[in-house]
Amino acid sequence: MSLPTAIALVALLLSAFALLAVGAVYARLRLLERTALNPRTALLADEAESAPTALWPTGEQRHTLVLQLSDGCALCHLVWQVAARHVPGQDLDDVRVVGLFASPDAVAAFDDISGVTTIVDPDLWGALSEGYTPCVFLIDAEGRVADRRFVYGDTDVPALLAGLVPALDVSAPETSGSSRAL
C-alpha cells in the first residue's frame, strides 16, 4: 500500500468517526429537548428524581418552587422580576419559593424579594443543574422533582409559574414592596 493510499484511508476513518460523534451529540440534544418540553415523559425514567434535602419543603409546606438562576443570564433576571412581582404578599403557605445560586457573586446581581428564600450553594446548584439556566423545579414533600421546566426566550414566565404553582395569582397587581415592572 502506498503512502497516499494509507493517508486517504486514515482520513476516511477519522471522517467516519467524526460523523458518528456528531450524530451522537445531535441525538442527545434532541432527547434533552423532548424531555425539557415534556417533563412527564417516560424518557425521564433514567434520571434522578430526588432533590437534595436542603431544597425540600419545610414545616407544613407541600412543595418547593426552585428558581435555578445564574448572574450572566438575561432570562434569569426576567424570571427573578416575575417572582418579585408575583410572590410578595401572596398566601403561599403550602409552597416554599427558593432562588438557587451557585456563588455569592451571582446572588449579588439580584435584588432581595420578600417571600423568596435565597440559597447560595454550588453543590446544590450542581446537583440540580442540567447545563442550562434558568430552570424552574417543583419539588414535592417527599423530595421528588415533581416537575421541571427550562425557560426560553419565548416562554410566558408568569403562566409557567402559575402552571407549576396554581396558588400563585399571576394576575395580581404589583405589590408595593417591589419596584420592578415587566
Side-chain angles (χ1 to χ4, degrees), residues 39-40 63-67 95 135-139 146-151 157-168:
R40 299 201 192 291
H63 292 95
T64 300
L65 180 69
V66 179
L67 310 172
V95 178
C135 194
V136 180
F137 296 86
L138 186 66
I139 299 169
D147 205 347
R148 65 107 170 78
R149 306 284 173 92
F150 295 143
V151 179
V157 179
L160 174 104
L161 294 180
L164 290 172
V165 181
L168 188 64

Side-chain angles (χ1 to χ4, degrees), residues 43-82:
L43 293 173
L44 290 176
D46 63 340
E47 293 188 22
E49 295 182 15
S50 180
T53 55
L55 299 174
W56 290 17
T58 57
E60 298 294 318
Q61 297 167 334
R62 295 182 5 220
H63 292 95
T64 300
L65 180 69
V66 179
L67 310 172
Q68 185 180 29
L69 308 171
S70 62
D71 58 337
C73 149
L75 288 176
C76 293
H77 289 278
L78 173 66
V79 170
W80 196 251
Q81 287 174 354
V82 170

Side-chain angles (χ1 to χ4, degrees), residues 16 22 25 34 45 56 67 84 107 109 117 119 125 147-148 156 170 172:
V22 167
V25 168
R34 285 194 316 264
W56 290 17
L67 310 172
V107 77
T117 304
I119 297 178
W125 198 90
D147 205 347
R148 65 107 170 78
D156 182 358
V170 296

Side-chain angles (χ1 to χ4, degrees), residues 8-126:
L9 287 174
V10 169
L12 183 63
L13 182 64
L14 288 174
S15 298
F17 176 74
L19 184 62
L20 286 173
V22 167
V25 168
Y26 177 76
R28 179 64 178 151
L29 289 175
R30 295 293 296 170
L31 174 70
L32 286 174
E33 184 178 70
R34 285 194 316 264
T35 58
L37 295 176
N38 185 5
R40 299 201 192 291
T41 183
L43 293 173
L44 290 176
D46 63 340
E47 293 188 22
E49 295 182 15
S50 180
T53 55
L55 299 174
W56 290 17
T58 57
E60 298 294 318
Q61 297 167 334
R62 295 182 5 220
H63 292 95
T64 300
L65 180 69
V66 179
L67 310 172
Q68 185 180 29
L69 308 171
S70 62
D71 58 337
C73 149
L75 288 176
C76 293
H77 289 278
L78 173 66
V79 170
W80 196 251
Q81 287 174 354
V82 170
R85 183 172 180 188
H86 296 293
V87 170
Q90 295 216 21
D91 185 21
L92 298 175
D93 292 334
D94 63 339
V95 178
R96 176 184 180 204
V97 182
V98 173
L100 180 60
F101 299 91
S103 69
D105 293 338
V107 77
F110 296 86
D111 297 331
D112 287 337
I113 301 174
S114 65
V116 176
T117 304
T118 301
I119 297 178
V120 180
D121 189 330
D123 294 330
L124 290 177
W125 198 90

